[in-house]
Each structure stands twice: as structure tokens, then as C-alpha cells.
Amino acid sequence: MDKMQEGKLHQEVSQSQKAKEVLDNPSFKEAFDKLRDLYSTSLLNTGTNETETREKLWLAYQVLGKVEQHFREIIDTGKLASKQLEDFRNSIEKQKF
């Protein structure tokens, strides 16, 4: 592993930690929960003639899920990067002996 690859892995671990902090933040959780509830409630309460409104609410609800999913993917990538760095360190230690 060269320094550039190692640097990229460290960056992924750092981004992962930041993403986890955001997802674990009570204010962020509350905002997402309120938006999710607002969108789903509003969606279920649209009238039969409100097709455009229903589509916009559905899209907003889906985007909210995609944002959360993206944060989780960043966290998972960081976990993998951390494991790769650990394996790399272990291989260096084995070469020393």
C-alpha cells in the first residue's frame, strides 16, 4: 500500500466518524423524524385530485431516505477502510519479526 492509498483510507475513516456524529446527533435525528412524519402524514391526507402534491411529497420522503442512506454508506466505507488500515499495520508488524 502506498502513501496515497493510505491517505485515502484515513480520509474515509475521518469522513465516517463525521457522518456517524451527524446521524447520532439528537437534533439531526429529531429533524429527520419530524420530516419523515410530516411527509408521510401529508401524503396520506392528500385528496384524490392532488396528484401533483402527492408526487412531490413522495419524492421528498424518498430523498430524505436517500440522504440517510448516503450517510450510512459513508459510515460503512469508513469501517472497511479502518479494517484495511488495521490489516496493513498487522502485515507490517509481521514483517518486522
Side-chain angles (χ1 to χ4, degrees):
M1 175 180 308
D2 64 22
K3 289 289 183 187
M4 194 166 157
Q5 290 171 320
E6 187 177 356
K8 183 174 179 356
L9 291 174
H10 282 291
Q11 181 182 12
E12 289 173 348
V13 170
S14 176
Q15 287 175 334
S16 172
Q17 292 166 343
K18 290 174 186 173
K20 184 166 177 24
E21 289 173 9
V22 169
L23 281 184
D24 289 344
N25 181 295
S27 296
F28 185 83
K29 285 181 178 183
E30 181 182 352
F32 260 59
D33 289 344
K34 282 184 177 182
L35 286 171
R36 194 176 285 115
D37 185 52
L38 173 68
Y39 294 151
S40 63
T41 301
S42 298
L43 183 62
L44 292 173
N45 290 319
T46 56
T48 55
N49 295 333
E50 297 179 284
T51 304
E52 187 176 336
T53 300
R54 208 171 20 259
E55 288 174 355
K56 288 179 181 178
L57 288 166
W58 180 85
L59 182 60
Y61 188 86
Q62 294 299 314
V63 168
L64 192 62
K66 294 288 185 185
V67 170
E68 189 173 23
Q69 178 184 351
H70 182 69
F71 276 97
R72 296 199 185 286
E73 288 171 1
I74 292 170
I75 292 168
D76 289 342
T77 299
K79 288 177 184 177
L80 291 172
S82 181
K83 176 70 173 131
Q84 286 178 307
L85 286 168
E86 181 183 329
D87 291 346
F88 177 65
R89 283 187 216 109
N90 290 338
S91 70
I92 289 174
E93 289 296 319
K94 287 179 184 179
Q95 289 175 1
K96 286 182 181 179
F97 295 108

